[in-house]
């Protein structure tokens, strides 16, 4: 699917949806990569969507018992993004 987009960057929401499909297929490392890419690609005005992707990545790590400090940090970052000004 990603190869069909050519040289253009994938939209962050597409990457999040693709990550969800990859998780359902048991391809966790690939899903993590897509979520990381989505988090980097979300523009500042889509803070809520970026925060949701951060929480999803943190949840993957927590369920696997990996990266506990990074997962906590990512959740804190997501919470800060989701707070209204």
């Amino acid at each position: 699917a990603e190869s069909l987009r050519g040289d253009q960057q994938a939209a962050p929401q597409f990457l999040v949806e693709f990550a969800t499909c990859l998780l359902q297929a048991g391809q966790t490392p690939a899903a993590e990569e897509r979520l990381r890419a989505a988090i980097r690609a979300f523009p500042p005005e889509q803070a809520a969507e970026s925060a949701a992707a951060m929480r999803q990545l943190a949840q993957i790590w927590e369920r696997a018992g990996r990266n506990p400090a990074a997962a906590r940090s990512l959740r804190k970052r997501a919470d800060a993004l989701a707070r209204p000004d």
Side-chain angles (χ1 to χ4, degrees), residues 10-66:
Q13 193 57 47
F14 168 80
L15 292 168
V16 171
E17 294 299 324
F18 192 23
T20 300
C21 293
L22 289 166
L23 283 172
Q24 291 171 350
Q27 298 181 33
T28 303
E32 289 181 45
E33 288 177 29
R34 293 340 177 270
L35 287 169
R36 285 187 183 111
I39 292 164
R40 287 190 302 271
F42 273 116
E45 60 271 10
Q46 289 185 292
E49 292 86 349
S50 182
M54 290 176 191
R55 287 187 185 100
Q56 190 175 0
L57 181 56
Q59 184 179 48
I60 291 169
W61 291 341
E62 290 164 349
R63 285 183 176 168
R66 297 184 297 119

